Amino acid sequence: MTMSRRFSALIVVSCIAWGASADGANATISLVPKPMQIEQKPGEFSLDANTAILVDKDSPDAANVGRQLAERIERATGYVLKVSPGDGGDARNAIVVTSKDADAKLGAEGYRLDVTPEGATIRATGGAGMFYGMQTLLQLFPPAIFGKSKAEGNIAWTAPAVRIADRPRFVWRDLHLDVSRHFFNKEEVKNYIDLLAQHKFNTFHFHLVDDQGWRIEIKRYPKLTEMGAWRKDIGFGLNPKDGTAYGPDGRYGGFYTQDDIRELVAYAKARYVTIMPEIEMPGHACAALAAYPSYSCEGRPGDAPRDGGIFNGVYCAGNDGAFEFLENVLSEVIDLFPSKYIHIGGDEVPKDNWNKCPKCQARIKKEGLANAHELQSYFIKRIEKFVNGRGRTIIGWDEILEGGLAPNAVVMSWRGMNGGIAAANAGHDVVMTPASHCYFDYLQAKTGEPKGIGGFLPLETVYQFEPVPASLSADKAKHILGGGGNLWSEYFPNYAQVQYMTYPRACALAEAVWSDAKSKDWKDFQTRLESHLQRLKAQDVKYRP
Ligand code: ACM
Ligand code: ZN
């Protein structure tokens, strides 16, 4: 991405701020994202060392959620709660996790949560709903329940009695992390996944590849990581001391082995998060082409570059070998990631090399294409055919509309929402991530912020994000799967800075993609966020205060 193009992506989304919430939310209950229905009841439930966690027999999901609940409770309270098989019956000093009598109308990710003075019951048809019910339940306890170690002092571990029915507004709720510009290690990525799952996001968009670094081991092409994962220094005009990703030889970078990837995929799955990998093509390919220059138009080696901008590191669209290379890479990627969607990038492809390259020109002629834009479309369609053949669907940035959209592609609209609108009107599914509302690399205030790429995206603007454009008719609006937030890391070379840019804006985005539009209320959100930040603080998240 470049500054100029990203700043041109400003569009105004009309949002209606409704008045006070209709559910009469009580000040002592501060849930983020806000549930669909919440009814406070008299009394409260007290957790103690004898509380049981009862999970459906023969339900790996209930057992998984029960185990995570027990772990979190033990860490913060010191109580070692037993996770035992249950029958979904009444809770008696117990937290019940069950699919018995679950409300199917709440969908695969919905849940009911009943807290009474006797106990708590999470009912959901599926594991995701059980997991989200657990997240809501945890938020009813004092924030110290999120602590990384046993809370000090004498805390009463009580939760107010409530009846909650909840389900997401959108099926697609993602956060993205760019690990190419700066590498974040496996534990940091796990933390990123943990936090997004707590906010009921269900997709982690893993931006694994870009001009400045290739971060995933590909067995068939070892030089991708031997060379492409490292650069000589931190770049971007940053202080080398601010970076954390130095190899033993002093080079800057890093990568995930295939075992690391499997570990991350399993970690995410246990939190009902799908990791969607992004392998950029045809542009943003300098790191790959530094290792395998024969797949570029010029066919000669260059360095993996250090700084931001758009580069001519583009795969040669006239070279069948480049397609074979990408298909082999994607083959390994598809084997590692169970995600239905494979992100193939597609953004910001300079056409200079293609316009000069005899092989690219020959391809244009042979395929009867009008120009380099249609060559890009040819490129994406050819890759789509391969990915579809492996049973997966491609998703690309909105530039993949240029020169004609691949038949089954999903569009991620970042240069405003017009690309998404065009795609939806053409019958394609769309994820809305307009820079105007969803680019967490933009600064959070006009002055006084640490170095960043620029831009201005305050919390309230994120909160007011409405993924469905008013101009879409109802039959087209159904193509808007949801939305997501993007954290491009150019100026954020350590994980504390990533957290600073992501939170609390991700809390506001969580609400935009989970909660009903009619419950939007900025003042109410601000009040709830105050309590919610205590939860982040308990976990030592370096959010922006
Ligand atoms: C992008 O920001 N270039 C998708
Ligand atoms: Zn070429």
Side-chain angles (χ1 to χ4, degrees):
M1 80 245 56
T2 59
M3 279 197 232
S4 56
R5 293 186 81 175
R6 282 164 62 183
F7 289 123
S8 70
L10 286 171
I11 75 151
V12 178
V13 178
S14 66
C15 292
I16 303 164
W18 291 69
S21 55
D23 60 32
N26 186 293
T28 61
I29 297 181
S30 290
L31 303 172
V32 175
K34 187 175 191 160
M36 179 178 71
Q37 278 172 15
I38 167 163
E39 192 188 334
Q40 191 156 7
K41 304 273 194 179
E44 58 189 21
F45 167 59
S46 290
L47 195 66
D48 61 41
N50 297 316
T51 303
I53 296 176
L54 301 176
V55 301
D56 285 356
K57 291 189 277 284
D58 312 318
S59 166
D61 283 315
N64 171 45
V65 170
R67 193 165 50 241
Q68 289 185 56
L69 182 61
E71 280 166 13
R72 166 112 22 221
I73 289 172
E74 182 179 351
R75 212 177 308 142
T77 71
Y79 301 150
V80 184
L81 305 192
K82 231 173 118 182
V83 182
S84 310
D87 59 6
D90 285 348
R92 296 256 176 263
N93 194 15
I95 299 170
V96 175
V97 183
T98 184
S99 60
K100 193 180 165 205
D101 300 328
D103 185 349
K105 287 197 299 294
L106 296 173
E109 296 184 299
Y111 64 93
R112 275 186 192 280
L113 170 63
D114 283 287
V115 179
T116 70
E118 281 75 45
T121 304
I122 297 163
R123 290 184 198 285
T125 53
M130 292 172 183
F131 182 83
Y132 296 138
M134 171 182 75
Q135 295 301 342
T136 302
L137 173 63
L138 287 168
Q139 291 192 5
L140 293 170
F141 287 102
I145 199 95
F146 287 91
K148 295 172 86 165
S149 55
K150 192 166 175 301
E152 301 199 353
N154 212 357
I155 294 179
W157 298 106
T158 59
V162 285
R163 184 163 173 70
I164 288 172
D166 199 10
R167 51 107 186 87
R169 180 175 169 211
F170 293 103
V171 294
W172 186 292
R173 308 176 305 280
D174 87 77
L175 284 189
H176 150 288
L177 180 63
D178 167 10
V179 297
S180 171
R181 275 52 182 264
H182 300 285
F183 176 71
F184 303 101
N185 67 34
K186 199 169 56 178
E187 294 313 310
E188 291 164 338
V189 173
K190 283 184 183 174
N191 178 269
Y192 197 79
I193 292 169
D194 231 343
L195 287 169
L196 71 87
Q198 278 179 36
H199 290 83
K200 302 186 171 80
F201 289 97
N202 62 5
T203 303
F204 170 47
H205 176 175
F206 205 4
H207 187 81
L208 284 162
V209 168
D210 214 302
D211 290 313
Q212 293 81 2
W214 182 282
R215 304 295 179 210
I216 176 173
E217 177 189 28
I218 300 295
K219 301 275 190 200
R220 189 165 176 147
Y221 301 107
K223 283 192 287 188
L224 283 172
T225 43
E226 285 166 12
M227 293 174 66
W230 305 96
R231 52 185 197 256
K232 70 179 191 308
D233 60 25
I234 191 168
F236 300 99
L238 295 166
N239 185 340
K241 289 200 187 73
D242 289 338
T244 50
Y246 291 95
D249 57 1
R251 286 190 302 170
Y252 186 76
F255 66 93
Y256 312 99
T257 65
Q258 295 204 349
D259 280 344
D260 290 337
I261 295 287
R262 280 186 276 269
E263 188 179 327
L264 289 170
V265 166
Y267 188 88
K269 181 164 182 260
R271 287 150 185 81
Y272 303 92
V273 170
T274 299
I275 304 186
M276 174 182 65
E278 180 179 354
I279 304 296
E280 279 266 22
M281 64 189 77
H284 287 283
C286 289
L289 293 172
Y292 293 94
S294 65
Y295 304 130
S296 70
C297 289
E298 300 124 306
R300 60 178 151 70
D303 273 344
R306 312 180 312 169
D307 292 315
I310 299 179
F311 299 96
N312 275 326
V314 176
Y315 296 105
C316 178
N319 178 354
D320 287 332
F323 286 96
E324 195 185 318
F325 165 80
L326 285 167
E327 289 172 9
N328 288 334
V329 167
L330 286 170
S331 232
E332 293 192 32
V333 168
I334 285 168
D335 286 345
L336 287 166
F337 293 95
S339 171
K340 172 182 173 189
Y341 298 98
I342 303 292
H343 203 306
I344 50 76
D347 60 318
E348 299 176 327
V349 184
K351 306 295 188 307
D352 323 9
N353 283 3
W354 286 1
N355 284 331
K356 286 187 298 209
C357 170
K359 282 185 289 215
C360 284
Q361 290 306 310
R363 176 85 73 196
I364 286 175
K365 207 157 162 201
K366 176 158 172 260
E367 298 293 331
L369 307 171
N371 50 36
H373 289 297
E374 289 193 10
L375 184 58
Q376 150 121 350
S377 170
Y378 165 87
F379 196 110
I380 302 294
K381 284 176 181 157
R382 185 161 164 178
I383 292 294
E384 179 185 67
K385 209 164 164 186
F386 173 78
V387 173
N388 286 172
R390 296 290 308 266
R392 310 295 178 90
T393 300
I394 64 160
I395 180 164
W397 300 108
D398 56 70
E399 285 93 330
I400 67 170
L401 282 149
E402 292 161 11
L405 201 47
N408 307 310
V410 177
V411 169
M412 190 167 259
S413 192
W414 72 280
R415 298 175 300 171
M417 298 179 68
N418 287 341
I421 292 169
N425 278 328
H428 288 254
D429 284 345
V430 169
V431 175
M432 288 293 191
T433 69
S436 56
H437 290 72
C438 301
Y439 267 41
F440 294 165
D441 54 339
Y442 285 13
L443 302 185
Q444 302 182 70
K446 289 200 163 141
T447 56
E449 287 298 292
K451 182 169 174 158
I453 197 160
F456 177 49
L457 178 54
L459 185 64
E460 184 174 1
T461 305
V462 180
Y463 183 75
Q464 300 298 359
F465 174 46
E466 169 48 57
V468 180
S471 65
L472 280 183
S473 62
D475 64 319
K476 302 298 186 209
K478 70 174 194 293
H479 288 297
I480 309 298
L481 301 180
N486 295 333
L487 199 282
W488 301 102
S489 63
E490 284 97 333
Y491 294 96
F492 316 119
N494 60 64
Y495 188 62
Q497 279 183 281
V498 166
Q499 290 191 327
Y500 181 92
M501 299 309 284
T502 309
Y503 291 93
R505 287 186 291 194
C507 310
L509 182 65
E511 195 133 330
V513 292
W514 177 280
S515 306
D516 284 343
K518 67 177 172 2
S519 75
K520 236 186 230 298
D521 179 341
W522 167 239
K523 274 214 166 67
D524 171 57
F525 173 72
Q526 283 176 292
T527 308
R528 283 180 288 116
L529 184 63
E530 257 175 63
S531 305
H532 188 69
L533 291 179
Q534 298 308 309
R535 299 175 190 128
L536 297 184
K537 198 168 174 175
Q539 298 177 76
D540 203 21
V541 176
K542 308 292 185 214
Y543 64 86
R544 181 182 186 275

